Amino acid sequence: MSKEKIAVAYSGGLDTSVMIKWLKDKYEGAEIVAVTGNLGQQMEIDNLEEKAIATGAASFHFVDLRKTFVEDCIWKALKAGALYEDVYPLATALGRPILAKALVDIAFEENCTILTHGCTGKGNDQVRFEVTFASLAPHMKVVAPLREWEFTSREQEIAYALEHNIPVSATKKNPYSIDENIWGISIECGVLEDPMVPPPADAYQITTSPEEAPDKPTVVDIDFFEGIPVALDGKQMEGLDMIVKLNELGATNGVGRLDMIENRVVGIKSREIYEAPAATILHFAHRELERLTLEKSVFQYKRNIGQDYANIIYNGTWFSPMREALDAFVDVTQKPVTGMVRLKLYKGNVTLLGRTSPNSLYNEKLATYTEADTFNHKAAEGFIQLYGLGLKTYSEVNLK
Ligand code: ARG
């Protein structure tokens, strides 16, 4: 039997650590290639290489995906206005296809024979990884150890890890399951499983509670060019730096906490809380600039496209012709979305102070109720007669 070479999407957590040993037992003599993607997460990224090798990996790759994540994914989602079920800015969901693609790229380079990930059998992430594998590497074998293996609890995994000298830090008890990247943090499990229980203070990782946030508001000016944020308080900025800065300012002011019951791909309703300060601020600002610059029918139609786009991201079909087709539509809509939005961040809220654009469709001469008014009031009369004619005819026939 020829030896397998297995590419593992590795996080350094309990599941993926145990996985390495488990795979080496199951596929005797298999060589493990561990791959971690940098999507701007802050937690648990130290000593990953050391840890992966000590756990039994033959090699380790740390791939910096931050720039491509921001520019090729996050900005597309922002321009589309993609909020899943009107709330979730999709941080985890956007990250998965990018991690999966990085894994596939390395698997090809290293001539791996199997792709694996550490997602459970009841979540969305297994779908996102494996659908991406199917799109990008349709002939590659895929194994999902967590759907197959004998462990039924974290305790059993920890016992296995201890027994096989696998270094894990999971013995310290963290009651939550947390996924983190630059676009937001997803937090579930523990007491959060009861939808009536408000999130305990320790569930939040980066945001100050609105009650403890400063009494003085923070004002920010955000400049957009064709739907993409390009400057903060008048200073040009790379996307990555902008998101880092807005996460900081938002978190300080208690902005970006979300608590949501959502519909998973696999049919389960789940409760998850999110912290997404920059995403909350940028979606709000972007939408306000669209109100100013988009033609009415485009503005209204685009809302549906945003929902479709959010579903594509959530459901794991990022690498698809449908997403590319929607991108083409969205990009056309974004041509006039250039301008500046001034916001106030204050005790958990983002409020609007002002907006301006060279492409503004707001015409004061038409809107004003002063002498400067140029709107043709006479024209309204004929318009209303014809506009209401159908209903008038209907009521003449049907009203007794
Ligand atoms: N519910 C979110 C999604 O499906 C996040 C999933 C991962 N959550 C976590 N706490 N690990 O995109």
Side-chain angles (χ1 to χ4, degrees), residues 231-263:
L232 200 65
D233 293 330
K235 213 179 108 207
Q236 298 284 322
M237 251 189 202
E238 287 290 313
L240 188 63
D241 300 333
M242 161 107 57
I243 296 175
V244 168
K245 186 72 194 163
L246 286 175
N247 272 333
E248 229 173 84
L249 295 174
T252 305
N253 287 285
V255 166
R257 292 186 168 189
L258 307 164
D259 181 339
M260 184 185 186
I261 300 286
E262 70 193 48
N263 291 294

Side-chain angles (χ1 to χ4, degrees), residues 267-285:
I268 301 169
K269 273 195 198 293
S270 62
R271 193 269 190 110
E272 183 122 11
I273 64 171
Y274 299 100
E275 294 178 282
T280 300
I281 295 166
L282 287 172
H283 270 289
F284 181 88

Side-chain angles (χ1 to χ4, degrees), residues 88 90-93 96 124-125 128 177-179 186-188 262 264 270 272 274 314:
Y88 167 41
L90 293 155
T92 298
R96 296 313 183 191
N124 297 317
D125 289 329
R128 296 166 182 152
S177 156
I178 298 174
D179 181 68
S186 309
I187 306 143
E188 62 179 351
E262 70 193 48
R264 279 192 194 163
S270 62
E272 183 122 11
Y274 299 100
Y314 192 86

